Amino acid sequence: MPVLSVEALRVQVEAGEVHTVVLAFTDMQGRLQGKRFAAPFFLEDVLPHGTEGCDYLLAVDIEMNTVGGYAMSSWERGYGDFAMRPDLATLRRIPWENGTALLLADLTAHDGTPVPPSPRQVLRRQLDRLAERGWTAHAGTELEFIVFRDTYEQAWDAGYRGLTPANRWNADYSLLATSRVEPLLRRLRNEMAGAGLYPESAKGECNLGQHEVVFRYDEALTTCDQHSIYKTGAKEIAAQEGMALTFMAKYDQREGNSCHIHLSLQDAAGGPVLADADGGMSKVMRHFVAGQLAAMRDFTLMFAPNINSYKRYREGSFAPTAVAWGHDNRTCAVRVVGHGPSLRLENRVPGGDVNPYLAVAAMIAAGLHGVEQELELPEPCAGNAYTADYARVPGSLRDAGALWSGSPLAAEAFGPGVVAHYANMARVEQDQFDAAVTDWERVRSFERM
């Protein structure tokens, strides 16, 4: 059932309670993009017909610059439009914006065919593969962020240096420290609940000003939709409070922002697929986890999409470097947790900058590869995976992009067009980084050379 029905929306619009409807989609970088409509116009025109947006929105860099190399959108193709089809199951009020409702859109061509590189469609394709086996995926994302007492404008003017963290010491599980930020955390919990999310808890983390708000797991597409709404809403709420927060994977030399992703499967009757009758790992789960390990290096780009993503992967950082699995072992890339029907796997590779649709799609594709090939699961790592002899998570965007673009497994699971699209995203990011002159270089070279 939708969080808000169309009939209820009509009533609220007629009563003057809702005056704006936001129609949004998630772009390659995991951001919400779209339009704000006058509510009567949305009900009268957009609801039955949809709307359109320039196809360059899936072919730009993070600064919204048009860049080359994309097959679906270019100067040669004229930068036309794609259609934005409202998904009514995502309709909801968003309490942090006065008189506003929001819903998400699927991107299609004008003939109604899906746009393959759109993140929501990438995930839908993998969910369809699960459905062929009578399975559904449930997921939960644990998204960390760092809060600063500065506004976003002050942070911009300061070049994002010398900002004041909301907590001055390690606040991991500290109730005293989190009370300093509780007005913000309370708004995040309560207003996300008002938007239809199911908040579980908020806690401090290790970096200065670092926190995490966790929401209850749900069907995979719903979780990814809610992740995107939460990420945008959290920034908007922080701005209203005169603060700023960042989800970037590695802000400084201390602990980075992770986004651990939990995944489980259910059969058509709602029973667990990954647990056996005794509550242990089923045969399917063993193959599914083996697939995660087999595909991890090829699929890392889907978990770590930016230059900065790879700064997290350091020994002893709680961000994994080893392509290994273990029972409740936080040194491994894949952690098996839970008991009985709640048995599930946790992918610890993604950071706070991850696009959830792409990451969950990659986890499903990797797992299905393991099931289809009946891959054998190696023995679990019982010790410190950082120092053990395992294959390593790619250490740079350049390496991850090369593995992704050359992967037969990625091409088979996602299609050559999707692989090329996201390989180009990585190439653009890498080329811009290689061409940039950094503060680090200026400090070392300005008068020393």
Side-chain angles (χ1 to χ4, degrees), residues 25-31 57-58 72 82 105-107 115-127 221 224-225 228 302 355-362 414 418 421-422 425:
F25 69 92
T26 306
D27 68 5
M28 293 191 298
Q29 290 80 14
R31 306 170 298 188
L57 291 168
L58 285 180
M72 65 166 284
F82 46 50
D106 284 307
L107 302 182
V115 176
S118 66
R120 213 164 185 252
Q121 177 57 27
V122 172
L123 176 56
R124 282 188 185 278
R125 176 173 176 174
Q126 301 307 314
L127 294 176
L221 183 63
C224 294
D225 289 342
S228 300
M302 298 291 97
N355 186 319
Y357 301 93
L358 302 180
V360 174
F414 300 101
V418 170
H421 192 89
Y422 286 97
M425 182 183 75

Side-chain angles (χ1 to χ4, degrees), residues 25-29 52-61 66-84 106-110 113-122 358 416-425 427:
F25 69 92
T26 306
D27 68 5
M28 293 191 298
Q29 290 80 14
E52 297 177 344
C54 181
D55 61 18
Y56 96 127
L57 291 168
L58 285 180
V60 292
D61 66 11
T66 54
V67 293
Y70 289 107
M72 65 166 284
S73 179
S74 65
W75 293 111
E76 289 74 23
R77 293 176 61 90
Y79 285 116
D81 281 347
F82 46 50
M84 299 168 59
D106 284 307
L107 302 182
T108 72
H110 295 298
T113 57
V115 176
S118 66
R120 213 164 185 252
Q121 177 57 27
V122 172
L358 302 180
V418 170
V419 171
H421 192 89
Y422 286 97
N424 191 66
M425 182 183 75
R427 179 194 62 78

Side-chain angles (χ1 to χ4, degrees), residues 229-294:
I229 292 168
Y230 162 61
K231 195 170 183 180
T232 295
K235 293 177 181 178
E236 293 176 343
I237 291 170
Q240 292 167 10
E241 292 291 315
M243 305 170 82
L245 59 82
T246 181
F247 295 98
M248 69 182 293
K250 189 75 168 175
Y251 172 72
D252 57 20
Q253 298 304 309
R254 294 177 62 94
E255 292 78 9
N257 288 321
S258 66
C259 181
H260 305 144
I261 299 178
H262 293 248
L263 185 69
S264 63
L265 303 178
Q266 291 186 3
D267 60 24
V273 172
L274 301 185
D276 61 21
D278 298 321
M281 294 177 68
S282 67
K283 182 179 179 181
V284 169
M285 184 174 191
R286 296 186 65 83
H287 293 323
F288 202 85
V289 174
Q292 305 301 313
L293 302 180

Side-chain angles (χ1 to χ4, degrees), residues 373-437:
Q373 300 300 315
E374 297 186 344
L375 299 182
E376 291 298 323
L377 184 64
E379 289 298 311
C381 175
N384 185 354
Y386 287 111
T387 58
D389 185 20
Y390 292 106
R392 298 284 133 179
V393 174
S396 70
L397 181 65
R398 180 178 284 106
D399 291 345
L403 286 165
W404 166 260
S405 62
S407 171
L409 177 56
E412 180 181 358
F414 300 101
V418 170
V419 171
H421 192 89
Y422 286 97
N424 191 66
M425 182 183 75
R427 179 194 62 78
V428 168
E429 171 96 346
Q430 186 69 60
D431 287 351
Q432 291 178 345
F433 178 78
D434 290 343
V437 177

